[in-house]
Amino acid sequence: MAKKEQGTDRVEDRDRDRWMARFQVRLAMQPGVDRAVVLRAVKETAGHCAMTGEDPRTAFGDPDSYAVEVAARLVPADRAARERRRDTLVNTIDSAVKKTREATGL
């Protein structure tokens, strides 16, 4: 019986680790999020789960949606807007370069 419980713990640990990894990646992709924001959010999330014993999916739901919520809470709106504008500009330039390469055969 102990082996079965131990196996279940490993599955739960893997699920928790996957959830946290996805959360971190999705959070890092949000406009204006830097390393400090990711570290703070991971610390808060892991701390909550450690204190309550809850699984992060149970406590916070989908990691993608939670990343968006956390970014909105922790990143100042002006910084996020500035990053979105920068990302749009970079994507526009990348697209123009790609079209130029395709047209010239480079």
Side-chain angles (χ1 to χ4, degrees):
M1 191 72 141
K3 281 189 176 186
K4 186 175 182 180
E5 288 176 9
Q6 188 177 23
T8 303
D9 288 343
R10 284 190 216 139
V11 169
E12 290 171 359
D13 289 345
R14 276 193 304 256
D15 289 345
R16 182 185 63 242
D17 292 345
R18 284 185 190 137
W19 190 97
M20 289 297 289
R22 179 143 184 132
F23 168 63
Q24 290 176 46
V25 168
R26 292 299 186 188
L27 181 59
M29 294 171 63
Q30 298 303 308
V33 171
D34 59 10
R35 180 181 169 90
V37 170
V38 172
L39 292 174
R40 179 177 170 190
V42 168
K43 184 178 177 180
E44 288 176 2
T45 303
H48 172 85
C49 291
M51 284 179 51
T52 63
E54 284 182 289
D55 178 75
R57 184 170 300 281
T58 303
F60 304 108
D62 177 62
D64 297 348
S65 300
Y66 187 59
V68 172
E69 290 175 32
V70 169
R73 180 171 49 90
L74 296 181
V75 177
D78 62 327
R79 186 166 85 187
R82 190 171 47 249
E83 283 291 315
R84 279 197 274 305
R85 284 191 303 273
R86 186 192 63 81
D87 289 348
T88 300
L89 178 61
V90 169
N91 289 340
T92 301
I93 292 170
D94 285 346
S95 178
V97 168
K98 183 179 177 183
K99 287 178 183 177
T100 301
R101 284 183 180 157
E102 289 172 356
T104 61
L106 295 176

